Amino acid sequence: MVSIAHCFKFSAIHARIALASAILLGSGVADASEFYAYYTRLGYSDASEVALPGRALTGKYADVVVQLDAGRFVFSREKSYLPYWEVGASQWPAPEIVTRLGDGPSTRPDNINRASYVRIVESNATQVVVHWHYAPDLTSDHFTNFQASYNGSPSSYCQDYVEEYFTIKSDATVTRTVRRSQEKIDAYNSASNLTVQTFSMNAGGISGVTTQAAAPQDTTPVATSGAPIKTPPVTSPALWWKFDDAMSTRPLAQKYLTQENVTATDCTITGNAAIWQQGVSGTCLSFDGYTSVVTLPAAMAPNVSAGVTMEAWVAPQEYANSSAAIVDHSGGTANGYSLHMDYLGRLIFRVQSPSGWQTLTTSAQLPLLKWAHVAAVYDPASGLKIYINGASAGTLAATGTLVDVAATDIRIGMAHKKEAPNGTQRTFAKSFLSNVVFDGLIDEVRVYGRPLSALEIASNRTALIPANPQPLQYRVMPSGTPDGTFGARYEKLAYNPSWDNLWRVGDHPDIVVGFDQHPIRMVFWRGTGYGLSTVSENGIWVSDQSPEDWNHESYAEHMSDKHCRFSHVRLIESTPARVLVHWRVASNKIDYRLLTINNDSWGDWTDEYYAIYPDGVAVRYQEVRANTPGHLGEVIQHQW
């Protein structure tokens, strides 16, 4: 039996679908007033429309117009969104601050705007703020041959973009800020990494242009509070990283250095940032799982042929996707020694003996989030031993002099050998080899040129037992903070520093929709490629996928676009009555190729529109535009 309430609910949903149809298929132009901004689709014809009139591969909100009394300021896909001031039949482009290279004409370097878009992030009676995102060099190997250029790290591919903001006042003055990518996240976010331009617009064009160029400079490191300093009783290691460098204020030149204390060698900290936290003694380094590595030059590495002991304190945030190094002096090939943590949290100890590689793997796992003391010993008379928290975790009989490796750096936190993630199935995916990086905290790393006894290892561990045994917490995916009202807003959702530091984005990359009558949120986050996720009050996420295609190599779908190269969201409307969000996305493979490419570089693109209402009812309208022979620009799939 169907209740009356259910009948009304279904009727309400169908009514909203009808209303959403009118909204989503309408013109998108705002009501006229003296000063306003709106999304629209200008008369410029995309390549698909030139070939087949009426078939467009861009949606109805492709362009942005800011209307002023004297004219209009236009962000058009015809120009790859470099804006121009238009009065009647006359147009004056804004100065090009960052040179753009690509596959299109000089006036539209991003021929199909695959990596360029604009969004209205603020609009009121006094000012409009428009965000312009673009890739300045589409001719680089990152875009033309991703697979050949892939170096094992995602970091550099997130640095291919420029973020510009235009603040247009009702008096036709403009303040423009330009932020270019920098290798280090602190340098990227610094106020010095900002070009500021101002100009005025009038009937005669653009005038009074002033430009203050950016002078990118990293920020000076700030001292970090550490735990009380402790000293292990076993002396005379060959190498010792205390990681206490951050306890005092240091000059900028030392920001990405940590000292190896026996030889007093400054070791480079490579990665997006140097993140310091309280350690078991003093401070420690936080390794991000993507880019972090501490390197001791090969010339400073001791020869340990008489045996070796490696010990360290580690607190894993997550297990590695393959085999992440704690200490690696093996070069990833032959000879040397290394201590790794694998994808199950087990320790792997490898040494080269005269009879070949000797590998010992523990059955015990390291605990997540908590400090653990780990030690690996090779005794030429007896073999390999691993200790976890002072207790034996495995042995392997072997004899013979350790065959060390020359001309190879010692790495902490990142393995020399690149690997595909464990469990990768398809051959094509296995061809992408990535750096395997420890994710978590590492402190008090010591290397001895002799085998330590079980008693010595236990005493070293006891001397440094931390006051805070669990320094880490599980990460929580970000969904914004409810404010008790219905509506949508742009946010820069923070997940965790390790992941957040990969991104070079503006202040408005994500969208969160909140409700006044329901504890849920709807989240469009770059971490899920902007596919809509509904998040419950207890943090449970439910997400859907996008259109997909495949060939013999791999699938093509939005989940393969980890850098959001082709994917973005825009907030079209947010009122007490409804929210309207536009998601534009291409279906790409893991090498960022689109499956169906014609001479104009089009692939399959999708525009999705979400009409969301205060009672939690949402209507999803999807248009999939094909790029297959005979169907260029044709909408091949509708979905409500």
Side-chain angles (χ1 to χ4, degrees):
M1 179 178 180
V2 179
S3 68
I4 294 178
H6 281 113
C7 291
F8 277 111
K9 187 65 173 180
F10 277 106
S11 297
I13 291 173
H14 287 300
R16 285 180 174 82
I17 289 176
L19 178 59
S21 300
I23 297 166
L24 297 172
L25 301 177
S27 67
V29 179
D31 292 336
S33 64
E34 294 181 354
F35 176 63
Y36 57 91
Y38 59 91
Y39 293 100
T40 187
R41 193 170 190 281
L42 298 170
Y44 163 71
S45 295
D46 296 319
S48 60
E49 295 175 282
V50 173
L52 295 169
R55 293 187 180 179
L57 281 168
T58 53
K60 62 189 297 295
Y61 298 120
D63 308 306
V64 166
V65 174
V66 182
Q67 183 68 52
L68 296 101
D69 287 337
R72 60 181 194 167
F73 199 43
V74 180
F75 298 78
S76 169
R77 66 197 186 283
E78 183 180 7
K79 312 292 185 183
S80 290
Y81 296 114
L82 176 70
Y84 58 86
W85 172 238
E86 181 179 82
V87 179
S90 299
Q91 296 179 356
W92 298 270
E96 185 173 59
I97 292 177
V98 178
T99 300
R100 296 171 299 155
L101 302 173
D103 56 350
S106 60
T107 56
R108 190 178 64 258
D110 187 351
N111 189 42
I112 63 168
N113 297 304
R114 53 185 165 144
S116 308
Y117 61 83
V118 287
R119 303 185 299 177
I120 303 169
V121 298
E122 182 182 339
S123 181
N124 54 50
T126 60
Q127 71 176 27
V128 169
V129 179
V130 177
H131 168 221
W132 177 27
H133 166 100
Y134 61 94
D137 186 6
L138 293 171
T139 67
S140 73
D141 288 344
H142 285 195
F143 289 92
T144 59
N145 194 342
F146 176 87
Q147 185 174 14
S149 73
Y150 184 60
N151 62 4
S153 171
S155 180
S156 60
Y157 301 94
C158 295
Q159 298 172 16
D160 286 331
Y161 305 96
V162 174
E163 305 292 330
E164 296 202 20
Y165 283 84
F166 293 80
T167 301
I168 304 106
K169 299 288 189 179
S170 57
D171 62 359
T173 59
V174 178
T175 300
R176 174 187 187 183
T177 61
V178 182
R179 191 178 296 275
R180 300 192 67 169
S181 285
Q182 303 294 323
E183 178 189 1
K184 302 298 185 182
I185 189 64
D186 289 345
Y188 176 75
N189 287 328
S190 67
S192 63
N193 183 37
L194 205 63
T195 296
V196 180
Q197 184 179 83
T198 60
F199 55 85
S200 298
M201 302 180 295
N202 51 55
I206 293 176
S207 62
V209 179
T210 64
T211 305
Q212 180 180 343
Q217 184 176 1
D218 205 346
T219 56
T220 302
V222 178
T224 301
S225 177
I229 299 294
K230 305 172 185 177
T231 302
V234 181
T235 58
S236 301
L239 301 169
W240 184 1
W241 289 267
K242 297 181 180 180
F243 293 131
D244 293 340
D245 313 75
M247 292 186 69
S248 59
T249 301
R250 298 174 296 151
L252 179 59
Q254 296 180 13
K255 184 171 183 177
Y256 303 103
L257 298 174
T258 183
Q259 188 176 79
E260 189 287 302
N261 295 89
V262 176
T263 63
T265 301
D266 284 332
C267 300
T268 302
I269 304 169
T270 303
N272 290 305
I275 303 175
W276 300 86
Q277 294 190 28
Q278 186 179 91
V280 295
S281 172
T283 52
C284 69
L285 264 178
S286 177
F287 291 75
D288 66 9
Y290 301 100
T291 66
S292 302
V293 58
V294 172
T295 303
L296 177 73
M300 304 307 298
N303 186 290
V304 295
S305 58
V308 69
T309 298
M310 294 173 284
E311 66 171 344
W313 284 86
V314 298
Q317 175 71 55
E318 297 178 353
Y319 296 143
N321 60 22
S322 189
S323 179
I326 298 171
V327 177
D328 190 347
H329 192 229
S330 67
T333 54
N335 299 349
Y337 54 91
S338 65
L339 178 62
H340 289 66
M341 180 190 69
D342 74 1
Y343 67 101
L344 295 175
R346 303 173 301 185
L347 291 177
I348 303 174
F349 178 29
R350 295 188 179 98
V351 298
Q352 178 78 357
S353 74
S355 59
W357 272 111
Q358 308 297 321
T359 301
L360 172 61
T361 302
T362 65
S363 57
Q365 297 171 291
L366 294 180
L368 288 173
L369 314 178
K370 298 179 180 180
W371 283 116
H373 179 262
V374 299
V377 179
Y378 178 68
D379 186 336
S382 58
L384 293 77
K385 300 176 183 177
I386 296 178
Y387 299 86
I388 298 177
N389 288 325
S392 176
T395 61
L396 177 68
T399 59
T401 301
L402 189 153
V403 184
D404 207 348
V405 60
T408 297
D409 299 337
I410 292 181
R411 288 186 175 183
I412 299 174
M414 180 190 291
H416 278 281
K417 183 180 180 181
K418 295 179 173 66
E419 297 183 282
N422 185 269
T424 301
Q425 295 180 342
R426 291 185 174 87
T427 301
F428 184 57
K430 290 179 180 179
S431 69
F432 290 85
L433 303 181
S434 298
N435 294 325
V436 188
V437 183
F438 189 87
D439 189 350
L441 310 180
I442 300 179
D443 198 8
E444 293 293 322
V445 176
R446 305 215 290 182
V447 177
Y448 296 83
R450 66 178 180 87
L452 266 61
S453 68
L455 182 60
E456 288 176 310
I457 288 170
S459 62
N460 274 357
R461 183 249 176 187
T462 300
L464 269 69
I465 292 176
N468 178 17
Q470 183 176 316
L472 302 174
Q473 303 296 323
Y474 287 115
R475 293 165 178 160
V476 178
M477 292 173 65
S479 57
T481 302
D483 61 6
T485 62
F486 170 72
R489 59 188 179 273
Y490 286 109
E491 290 200 24
K492 188 175 183 178
L493 295 173
Y495 179 34
N496 66 84
S498 296
W499 187 85
D500 296 340
N501 289 344
L502 292 172
W503 294 85
R504 305 294 182 266
V505 293
D507 295 329
H508 308 84
D510 312 305
I511 293 177
V512 175
V513 183
F515 298 86
D516 55 355
Q517 302 176 28
H518 302 283
I520 64 168
R521 275 150 285 162
M522 293 183 178
V523 180
F524 299 84
W525 178 46
R526 62 208 133 104
T528 56
Y530 291 120
L532 171 64
S533 298
T534 301
V535 186
S536 66
E537 72 280 5
N538 57 348
I540 296 176
W541 286 57
V542 177
S543 302
D544 197 7
Q545 62 185 56
S546 67
E548 62 182 29
D549 203 347
W550 61 90
N551 63 12
H552 65 282
E553 289 181 334
S554 68
Y555 279 83
E557 55 192 347
H558 89 282
M559 290 179 284
S560 297
D561 190 357
K562 299 302 183 185
H563 308 138
C564 294
R565 176 175 289 183
F566 306 126
S567 180
H568 66 270
V569 285
R570 301 187 298 170
L571 180 56
I572 306 300
E573 180 182 345
S574 180
T575 72
R578 62 177 175 259
V579 164
L580 183 59
V581 175
H582 170 219
W583 176 32
R584 181 162 173 81
V585 62
S587 298
N588 64 274
K589 301 192 300 178
I590 61 173
D591 62 354
Y592 285 91
R593 287 184 296 165
L594 309 184
L595 284 185
T596 50
I597 300 291
N598 66 6
N599 293 332
D600 295 297
S601 302
W602 285 105
D604 291 343
W605 291 79
T606 300
D607 289 285
E608 296 201 7
Y609 307 92
Y610 293 83
I612 304 166
Y613 297 91
D615 59 0
V617 172
V619 179
R620 175 186 184 183
Y621 176 66
Q622 179 187 88
E623 289 187 340
V624 184
R625 291 181 171 86
N627 187 32
T628 52
H631 297 280
L632 176 62
E634 181 181 350
V635 177
I636 59 170
Q637 178 176 328
H638 287 285
Q639 178 176 313
W640 288 100

